[in-house]
Amino acid sequence: MMRKQRFQWFVLLLLCGIWLMGCENRQPIQRVVSISDTTKQFLHALRIQDGLTMADLTVDQEGFDFTISEGDAQAIGMVQEQAMRFYKQILQFEYSLGAETVNEDHAQIKAYINAYDIDTILKETVSANQEAFASIYEENISEEEKNTKVADILIQAFTSRERTYQFEVTFHLQLIDGVWLIENEDAMTFMNTLFSQPKEED
């Protein structure tokens, strides 16, 4: 019998590794004074898990810590490299931007996001690979090696799928010292919407 809950629990724990926190020792980055450019830089930094750049692009200078430590990875039966690869793949969303709206030193811009339907892809992948997963867990290898093989299957499943989960986020920006910066609440809203996707009814 395939242990579906095992893999779903692994993914849940992995996604819970995102924490909103301040970043120290940030190096200044070169920016163009543009609402669209600031938003593009922020979304690009998010896709590549560059929390320091994200911090530099927000009003409160706070970013996301995308680090998954070796201990955290081992706690869920994964090696760090595989956990980070899976995490990175989920963040490969696509986007387009709407028109800029400016009111003196405040502005807003809407981002239209196409992301992976995480819950659906995981359910379908687990269902389609029950025999493969069962075979992996019968192998005479360590638990870490087994879960690494499972992660490889999950990562490959995402790379072959379309980004069908669509949502919109309005980013609000403030002009501070000649530079447009994103309000931190919007960054959190984006992350919550990306990962707190509507779940299909069983």
Side-chain angles (χ1 to χ4, degrees), residues 169-188:
V169 172
T170 299
F171 287 100
H172 299 81
L173 298 90
Q174 296 182 33
L175 186 62
I176 299 176
D177 296 329
V179 176
W180 287 105
L181 298 176
I182 293 173
E183 295 183 3
N184 292 72
E185 293 81 2
D186 295 332
M188 195 62 186

Side-chain angles (χ1 to χ4, degrees), residues 4 32 34 38 65 67 70 75 82 90 103 133 145 171 184:
K4 295 183 180 179
V32 178
S34 163
T38 295
D65 181 6
T67 302
E70 189 66 43
Q82 293 293 340
I90 290 177
N103 182 12
F133 289 161
E145 292 173 308
F171 287 100
N184 292 72

Side-chain angles (χ1 to χ4, degrees), residues 48-62:
I48 64 174
Q49 304 176 60
D50 183 354
L52 295 179
T53 296
M54 291 172 65
D56 280 325
L57 294 166
T58 55
V59 173
D60 295 336
Q61 300 288 284
E62 292 182 347

